[in-house]
Amino acid sequence: ECSLNGSVYVFCNSPHAINQMSEGDYRIQVKAYDQAGQASQAASHSWSVDLTPPSFSWVTTPKDHRTFQSVQLQFTTADALSGISSIECTLNNNFVACENNKALDLYIKDEGQQNFKVTVTDLAGNQIANTHTWETTSPWVMVEQQIVVDEGSLDIDILFVVDNSGSMQPEQENMAERIDRFIEKLTNLNWQIS
């Protein structure tokens, strides 16, 4: 015989199926009888049914900004019934290490739409996903300039001035990415760069 959550004992088989369970806490007690009709002590088992995804909210999110800048992002999540099983974060579909209720610093180089997605799963398998989207734009403007060179003198000196301070890091990285394309344009010239 079986009793669910203190209900009257009723005949049951093993295995015993309980269908269409709503969310909440459950306790089943089972007694066995011998051929003389004597009942055993009741054995019990308790468990919870969790049908609700974890809660989620953004604490800090970045607004639209220029590339080559650090921004902060933070979220908080909780699950009162079964507890949190896993938290997964991606930036533009690339995995990013993250923690619940802890500020995350992101350094964004690429321009365009940025998508930061957080997927939280509880121990019962319920899942919630949230995405924050913002735009980044380049601080540089592409300039097309026609340079006229005196054909009688094809010697040219090119000087770039960028210091080593931390504030110039974006300029240094931008120059490193573009220098090869710049040199490709220096055809039929006797040039040197410093």
Side-chain angles (χ1 to χ4, degrees):
E1 292 183 337
C2 298
S3 168
L4 182 64
N5 288 350
S7 62
V8 176
Y9 278 90
V10 295
F11 175 79
C12 60
N13 289 316
S14 178
H16 176 60
I18 304 174
N19 300 316
Q20 299 179 338
M21 301 182 69
S22 59
E23 190 169 74
D25 296 326
Y26 290 85
R27 181 170 183 258
I28 191 170
Q29 294 175 287
V30 181
K31 292 190 297 185
Y33 291 84
D34 62 19
Q35 291 183 350
Q38 301 179 87
S40 67
Q41 289 188 346
S44 65
H45 175 71
S46 299
W47 72 98
S48 297
V49 175
D50 180 3
L51 304 175
T52 303
S55 62
F56 182 93
S57 61
W58 296 105
V59 177
T60 304
T61 54
K63 298 179 180 179
D64 295 350
H65 62 87
R66 301 277 185 155
T67 54
F68 296 95
Q69 286 187 7
S70 291
V71 294
Q72 254 193 11
L73 190 143
Q74 185 175 345
F75 61 87
T76 181
T77 184
D79 190 273
L81 294 174
S82 62
I84 300 295
S85 172
S86 65
I87 301 174
E88 181 182 280
C89 297
T90 60
L91 176 62
N92 301 328
N93 297 319
N94 297 308
F95 288 105
V96 177
C98 62
E99 294 182 37
N100 183 25
N101 208 25
K102 184 175 181 181
L104 177 65
D105 291 316
L106 300 173
Y107 185 68
I108 309 295
K109 294 183 179 181
D110 299 326
E111 60 181 312
Q113 181 172 288
Q114 310 298 323
N115 298 290
F116 190 89
K117 182 179 181 181
V118 183
T119 304
V120 184
T121 307
D122 66 18
L123 290 169
N126 302 304
Q127 196 172 83
I128 188 171
N130 276 269
T131 301
H132 176 69
T133 300
W134 72 101
E135 295 285 338
T136 54
T137 55
S138 174
W140 297 284
V141 177
M142 183 66 70
V143 177
E144 293 290 343
Q145 184 174 0
Q146 184 69 33
I147 301 176
V148 178
V149 179
D150 182 359
E151 294 183 1
S153 175
L154 299 182
D155 295 334
I156 184 170
D157 294 325
I158 303 167
L159 176 64
F160 293 103
V161 180
V162 181
D163 66 35
N164 289 325
S165 66
S167 63
M168 297 298 286
Q169 180 182 352
E171 284 77 8
Q172 295 168 3
E173 294 177 354
N174 184 55
M175 182 180 295
E177 291 177 359
R178 300 186 179 194
I179 191 67
D180 289 339
R181 295 196 298 272
F182 176 79
I183 292 175
E184 290 174 358
K185 304 295 183 181
L186 303 177
T187 57
N188 301 321
L189 295 174
N190 181 25
W191 56 270
Q192 62 179 7
I193 295 179
S194 60

